[in-house]
């Protein structure tokens, strides 16, 4: 049987493995779990989501909604299982992270032609098999060093942060209220209203509290789409009230008014026991987190199931290293997928794993490789990471700005996005049919 090696059991690695296995390829899937965990993982399960449990909005006029629609058309293994582990979150697609990881692990182990090997890989294998490297943002130091040698690039990483998770039973519910912005969908978010004085106290605390130290070369390497809350606060006194604490559309039923600022908590597990503080990724020390966040209304006796933390995100300089198939320019037998390939985000990682898995199968069978059309979400993401200026390349999520411009007048921004999304889906469907994906 034809074989494929995959290093990494995260979302990209699992998606690539499932796509190849469905197509009759024997997959050797390597992951160091459960024997060894990275600095960010909590469990020994494969496919554990770390930073958040949300996959974004499902609305077609949003970037996450369009990408999700495309992945469904491509028969995504991850999304099928994600649907079985969803939790309430309004228009957002949110999941019970650990339940989903357990489900993904169980499903992958059930594939007859996936050989799951629990072993840490410290070098790029020389088995002669086609190989997909999908070790994610928390690639181990030894393997990261070997990848750096292979790619010829150094210090290809930035720093990311996670948000605290609180046990809802420890929250004083009398000081909070349930609501979704503009009352859309079910009231799935727990909201903590702040007046101006409470808001300013929080901003001051975030700025003055002790943070985990960064070395000089690590400073300024945060990812813009996932900035620590204290970094946002540092950019201006009202930065948070116009960012993750924006109160618009969240009227407090007690006062009938919009608060000065609002902190939202989103369900993190199926049992509705654990809630994540939305947008509060942080590098405050754990002691400072407890002190600062317990000053907030309703959180005086908060029990933290997980504190926010910093972690390293490793990625390659994709424009210098990859072609439009997620394939190494240096060695066509090596593919990169997931966040290490230069995409950012859960759905984007799944997308890169799915496409690289399909391409690896084609290469094994000596079939021509064809990228998804560039006017689709999946294709435009590949175009971005492979054709950007390598001198200042930064990982990216999919945005509508990556799609080709269309000249449409007299339409709202939402309508234009819906039209773009329609073009993208039709283009992808045509590619799927022509390529027999």
């Amino acid at each position: 049987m034809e074989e494929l090696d995959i290093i990494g059991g995260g979302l990209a690695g699992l998606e690539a493995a499932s796509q190849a296995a469905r197509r009759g390829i024997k997959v050797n899937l390597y992951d160091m779990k459960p024997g060894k965990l990275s600095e960010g993982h909590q469990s020994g399960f494969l496919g554990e989501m770390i930073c958040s449990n949300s996959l974004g909005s499902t609305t077609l006029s949003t970037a996450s909604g369009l990408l999700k629609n495309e992945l469904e058309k491509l028969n995504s293994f991850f999304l099928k299982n994600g649907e079985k582990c969803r939790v309430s979150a309004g228009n957002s697609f949110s999941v019970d992270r650990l339940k989903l990881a357990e489900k993904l692990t169980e499903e992958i182990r059930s594939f007859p032609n996936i050989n799951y090997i629990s072993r840490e890989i410290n070098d790029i294998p020389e088995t002669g098999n086609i190989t997909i490297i999908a070790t994610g943002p928390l690639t181990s130091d030894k393997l990261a060093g070997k990848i750096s040698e292979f790619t010829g690039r150094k210090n290809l990483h930035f720093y990311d942060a996670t948000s605290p998770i609180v046990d809802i039973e420890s929250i004083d519910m009398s000081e909070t209220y349930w609501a979704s912005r503009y009352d859309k969908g079910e009231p799935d978010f727990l909201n903590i209203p702040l007046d101006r004085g409470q808001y300013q106290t929080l901003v001051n605390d975030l700025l003055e509290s002790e943070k985990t130290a960064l070395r000089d070369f690590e400073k300024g390497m945060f990812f813009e789409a996932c900035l620590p809350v204290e970094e946002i606060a540092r950019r201006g006194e009202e930065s948070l009230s116009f960012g993750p604490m924006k109160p618009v559309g969240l009227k407090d039923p007690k006062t009938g008014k919009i608060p000065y600022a609002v902190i939202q908590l989103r369900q993190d597990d199926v049992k509705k026991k654990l809630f994540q503080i939305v947008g509060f990724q942080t590098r405050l020390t754990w002691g400072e987190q407890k002190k600062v966040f317990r000053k907030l209304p309703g959180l005086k006796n908060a029990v933290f199931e997980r504190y926010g933390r910093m972690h390293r995100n490793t990625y390659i300089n994709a424009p210098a290293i990859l072609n439009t198939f997620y394939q190494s320019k240096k060695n066509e037998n090596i593919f990169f997928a997931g966040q290490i390939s230069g995409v950012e985000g859960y759905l984007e990682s799944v997308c890169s794993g799915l496409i690289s898995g399909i391409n690896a199968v084609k290469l094994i069978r000596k079939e021509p490789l064809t990228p998804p059309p560039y006017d689709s979400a999946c294709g435009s993401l590949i175009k971005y990471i492979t054709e950007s200026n390598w001198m200042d390349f930064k990982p990216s999520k999919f945005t509508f700005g990556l799609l080709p411009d269309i000249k449409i007048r007299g339409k709202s921004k939402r309508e234009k996005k819906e039209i773009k999304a329609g073009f993208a889906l039709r283009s992808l469907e045509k590619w799927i049919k022509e390529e027999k994906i």
Side-chain angles (χ1 to χ4, degrees):
M1 181 182 284
E2 302 150 314
E3 292 191 23
L4 169 66
D5 290 342
I6 298 177
I7 308 173
L11 303 190
L14 299 188
E15 189 69 47
S18 65
Q19 294 296 329
R22 286 171 180 167
R23 289 165 170 80
I25 301 296
K26 178 184 177 182
V27 177
N28 300 309
L29 176 63
Y30 297 89
D31 193 275
M32 63 185 187
K33 288 183 175 184
K36 182 178 179 180
L37 303 183
S38 74
E39 61 196 79
H41 289 100
Q42 292 179 293
S43 77
F45 296 125
L46 302 173
E48 181 187 339
M49 296 163 63
I50 299 177
C51 296
S52 170
N53 71 322
S54 176
L55 297 161
S57 173
T58 57
T59 306
L60 191 57
S61 60
T62 64
S64 59
L66 172 56
L67 187 52
K68 179 176 176 290
N69 267 269
E70 290 195 7
L71 291 173
E72 287 175 340
K73 290 184 181 299
L74 288 164
N75 197 23
S76 168
F77 164 79
F78 170 78
L79 282 184
K80 282 188 175 181
N81 285 284
E83 287 285 355
K84 300 171 184 176
C85 302
R86 286 188 71 168
V87 297
S88 297
N91 289 329
S92 295
F93 187 106
S94 297
V95 298
D96 182 321
R97 294 178 305 111
L98 294 183
K99 182 179 179 182
L100 176 55
E102 183 177 7
K103 179 67 175 173
L104 291 171
T105 304
E106 176 186 324
E107 290 292 319
I108 282 293
R109 285 181 174 273
S110 71
F111 272 90
N113 49 337
I114 294 182
N115 179 27
Y116 169 40
I117 304 164
S118 177
R119 182 195 309 165
E120 181 178 5
I121 301 297
N122 293 320
D123 203 348
I124 298 174
E126 297 182 358
T127 60
N129 293 338
I130 307 299
T131 300
I132 298 176
I133 298 174
T135 45
L138 299 175
T139 299
S140 65
D141 290 339
K142 289 182 180 179
L143 183 56
K146 293 296 183 180
I147 291 172
S148 183
E149 290 178 14
F150 175 78
T151 60
R153 307 289 168 185
K154 295 183 179 180
N155 296 332
L156 295 179
H157 64 273
F158 58 97
Y159 276 73
D160 208 344
T162 58
S163 301
I165 293 176
V166 180
D167 187 328
I168 195 170
E169 294 180 359
S170 67
I171 298 175
D172 182 351
M173 303 299 283
S174 68
E175 298 194 64
T176 67
Y177 62 98
W178 293 97
S180 290
R181 207 174 295 277
Y182 299 110
D183 294 323
K184 290 184 177 179
E186 296 297 319
D188 293 322
F189 290 84
L190 186 62
N191 297 272
I192 298 176
L194 301 185
D195 59 29
R196 184 177 179 84
Q198 292 168 324
Y199 173 80
Q200 290 179 329
T201 296
L202 173 62
V203 170
N204 290 336
D205 285 343
L206 290 172
L207 294 176
E208 296 173 4
S209 296
E210 182 183 359
K211 286 86 174 174
T212 54
L214 294 177
R215 291 170 289 182
D216 288 341
F217 78 91
E218 296 166 350
K219 295 175 181 177
M221 298 182 75
F222 299 116
F223 177 52
E224 281 294 319
C226 198
L227 286 172
V229 65
E230 60 274 6
E231 288 294 314
I232 300 176
R234 189 172 57 82
R235 296 184 173 188
E237 185 176 316
E238 298 303 324
S239 297
L240 287 171
S241 63
F242 284 89
M245 295 177 62
K246 180 171 63 177
V248 178
L250 293 170
K251 185 184 296 185
D252 186 342
K254 293 180 183 177
T255 64
K257 299 179 180 180
I258 301 292
Y260 188 81
V262 170
I263 296 171
Q264 291 194 303
L265 288 86
R266 179 180 58 230
Q267 183 181 341
D268 195 71
D269 68 330
V270 170
K271 296 180 180 179
K272 295 187 177 183
K273 176 178 172 60
L274 304 178
F275 278 70
Q276 185 173 154
I277 306 179
V278 178
F280 267 60
Q281 40 292 334
T282 180
R283 65 183 187 91
L284 266 62
T285 64
W286 290 5
E288 293 287 74
Q289 288 181 51
K290 182 185 293 187
K291 183 171 68 175
V292 170
F293 298 144
R294 279 186 171 177
K295 287 184 182 181
L296 297 171
L299 299 187
K300 180 180 180 180
N301 299 309
V303 174
F304 293 88
E305 176 70 19
R306 181 189 78 182
Y307 288 105
R309 66 176 69 185
M310 292 294 301
H311 61 85
R312 183 189 67 196
N313 273 9
T314 303
Y315 66 96
I316 61 172
N317 194 332
I321 294 161
L322 300 183
N323 62 21
T324 54
F325 312 118
Y326 290 105
Q327 186 181 32
S328 165
K329 296 176 183 178
K330 179 179 179 181
N331 182 342
E332 69 171 12
N333 289 338
I334 303 292
F335 292 79
F336 286 87
Q339 287 189 219
I340 197 169
S341 72
V343 301
E344 176 62 30
Y346 293 134
L347 290 176
E348 289 80 355
S349 294
V350 171
C351 177
S352 68
L354 191 154
I355 300 299
S356 63
I358 291 172
N359 285 335
V361 172
K362 287 188 173 185
L363 184 64
I364 289 170
R365 293 177 173 167
K366 301 186 180 348
E367 298 173 359
L369 277 60
T370 307
Y374 292 150
D375 55 357
S376 68
C378 293
S380 67
L381 189 63
I382 294 174
K383 183 178 176 64
Y384 168 80
I385 70 166
T386 58
E387 296 186 10
S388 295
N389 185 348
W390 67 269
M391 295 289 288
D392 58 3
F393 174 70
K394 295 291 184 184
S396 178
K397 285 178 162 293
F398 164 70
T399 69
F400 274 89
L402 298 183
L403 295 173
D405 288 331
I406 52 175
K407 305 298 182 182
I408 302 174
R409 294 182 179 181
K411 300 289 185 181
S412 67
K413 287 184 178 180
R414 178 169 182 169
E415 289 173 324
K416 287 180 180 178
K417 287 182 177 179
E418 288 174 343
I419 293 170
K420 270 191 172 184
F423 281 142
L425 290 173
R426 287 191 292 274
S427 183
L428 185 73
E429 287 170 348
K430 181 181 177 183
W431 177 76
I432 292 171
K433 183 177 181 180
E434 290 176 349
E435 295 297 316
K436 299 179 181 178
I437 302 298

